[in-house]
Amino acid sequence: MSLRGESVDTYRDVRTREAPSPGHRLLLIVPDPGSRESLAARLAAAGHQVTSVATGAAAMAELGDRHFDLLVVDVDIPDLHDLARNRPRLVARPPIICMTTCDALEPLLPEVGIEVEDYVTKPCRDAELLARVQVLLRGRQAAPRASVLRHGDLVLDEIVYQAWRGERRLEVTPAEYRLLRHLLLNAGRVLSKEQLALHVWDEPRELNAIERLVSRLRQKVDETSPALIHTRRGFGYWLGDPAPM
């Protein structure tokens, strides 16, 4: 089994304190890794499904594969012109919010090559960006959320918040449920300990906290063979079938 590249990240809100409404799909295009991960996490915590990439070329590949409800574009991406050069593929494109150091929208238009609905100036406050996102998404129908996630004989039911491995019911805690859900949503993708902690607890935690949580979940899930939760030493964890030797 091949692992998906780490340059494209998908974030979704995994909290189970209350039943969340289906989130809109957002494509975040930001070159700086720290800013990209921070903004993606904040947007996911607001209930959106966020895919983040670092370049215009990666953005065009994502846009060719799936539907998005909104694009958030940092104009400092190294190949911004790719979004303009490939604009015929965006005939039915979603709205765009640009992040820029400019204080006017007009200078962005020749670079982006397509109409921009809104912009925020950098450095921007998260609250301001979230507010602009909500305004542009208002009235747009979000994609329906699947009620069942599965990988092989591992099944997670989001209606009753319960998981099974084959016929065996998994007695998971709320934190283990949130961890398992995020691993299932990103099956085949290596997820860092920091990212997992943020999605489980909505805040940074000591790395040994997520290590202990993964260990407890692994004991429950992998009591049945084959093992599905794996460690990639130095990088993090991933869920999927064992890679062929």
Side-chain angles (χ1 to χ4, degrees):
M1 175 180 175
S2 61
L3 299 178
R4 294 183 59 181
E6 296 179 27
S7 60
V8 178
D9 299 312
T10 303
Y11 299 76
R12 296 174 177 85
D13 181 29
V14 296
R15 294 173 294 178
T16 59
R17 298 177 184 86
E18 58 184 17
S21 59
H24 291 88
R25 291 193 177 104
L26 275 57
L27 179 58
L28 180 66
I29 314 164
V30 176
D32 178 70
S35 298
R36 186 170 64 250
E37 184 165 349
S38 174
L39 286 172
R42 287 298 304 274
L43 289 165
H48 304 298
Q49 301 179 29
V50 184
T51 297
S52 67
V53 296
T55 66
M60 293 310 305
E62 290 295 317
L63 287 164
D65 289 341
R66 70 191 76 181
H67 165 77
F68 289 95
D69 299 301
L70 180 70
L71 308 185
V72 180
V73 183
D74 186 329
V75 298
D76 288 332
I77 57 175
D79 55 348
L80 182 66
H81 60 277
D82 280 354
L83 290 177
R85 187 169 57 202
N86 294 301
R87 58 182 170 174
R89 294 175 61 185
L90 298 179
V91 173
R93 70 163 180 83
I96 295 176
I97 294 179
C98 275
M99 300 167 58
T100 176
T101 54
C102 304
D103 58 359
L105 187 60
E106 290 77 10
L108 305 179
L109 299 180
E111 291 181 317
V112 178
I114 46 183
E115 182 183 357
V116 176
E117 279 74 17
D118 204 352
Y119 74 102
V120 292
T121 56
K122 299 191 297 182
C124 64
R125 294 179 300 172
D126 288 350
E128 179 184 5
L129 178 60
L130 289 171
R132 302 291 183 92
V133 166
Q134 291 303 111
V135 168
L136 286 183
L137 289 175
R138 189 173 297 153
R140 296 180 68 90
Q141 182 67 37
R145 178 168 63 91
S147 61
V148 175
L149 302 175
R150 67 176 66 242
H151 183 92
D153 63 349
L154 176 61
V155 177
L156 185 146
D157 190 321
E158 298 195 86
I159 301 300
V160 297
Y161 299 119
Q162 184 59 61
W164 291 265
R165 183 78 193 267
E167 297 297 320
R168 179 170 57 88
R169 177 171 171 168
L170 305 180
E171 299 296 338
V172 295
T173 66
E176 291 167 351
Y177 176 94
R178 295 192 292 271
L179 173 62
L180 179 59
R181 181 177 186 270
H182 194 57
L183 288 169
L184 275 167
L185 285 169
N186 294 277
R189 176 181 290 146
V190 176
L191 303 171
S192 70
K193 296 176 184 178
E194 294 85 355
Q195 181 185 343
L196 288 171
L198 187 61
H199 279 271
V200 171
W201 293 296
D202 295 331
E203 62 183 12
R205 291 287 182 96
E206 295 292 331
L207 295 185
N208 58 5
I210 197 68
E211 290 169 358
R212 291 193 299 268
L213 186 65
V214 170
S215 178
R216 292 196 299 269
L217 179 63
R218 180 180 270 153
Q219 290 176 10
K220 297 175 182 180
V221 171
D222 292 344
E223 181 182 326
T224 302
S225 296
L228 294 179
I229 299 177
H230 311 280
T231 302
R232 185 173 179 186
R233 193 170 301 278
F235 291 91
Y237 303 100
W238 59 282
L239 183 145
D241 298 321
M245 301 300 291

